Amino acid sequence: MAIVLFIVAGFLAGGVIQLVRSGASKFSVGLVALLSVLATAGGVAWLLPGGD
């Protein structure tokens, strides 16, 4: 599952770059960037030891 989250984060990071290049609104760039950060954090959290 962590690999899937990292792949999604990569696609979203690429989307942020394309949105910035195309001059999209700051809200849309921020939203996609936030989703990318959350996907990365989820992937890292999935790899951490512990839990049940």
Side-chain angles (χ1 to χ4, degrees), residues 6 8-10 21 23 25 28 31 36 51:
F6 287 131
V8 169
R21 286 184 182 174
S25 69
S28 61
L31 180 64
S36 178

Side-chain angles (χ1 to χ4, degrees), residues 22-52:
S22 67
S25 69
K26 291 182 189 254
F27 175 76
S28 61
V29 172
L31 180 64
V32 176
L34 176 66
L35 291 174
S36 178
V37 168
L38 287 175
T40 303
V44 169
W46 201 279
L47 292 176
L48 293 176
D52 295 311

Side-chain angles (χ1 to χ4, degrees), residues 5-20:
L5 287 170
F6 287 131
I7 291 171
V8 169
F11 278 120
L12 288 170
V16 169
I17 293 169
Q18 291 301 320
L19 285 170
V20 169

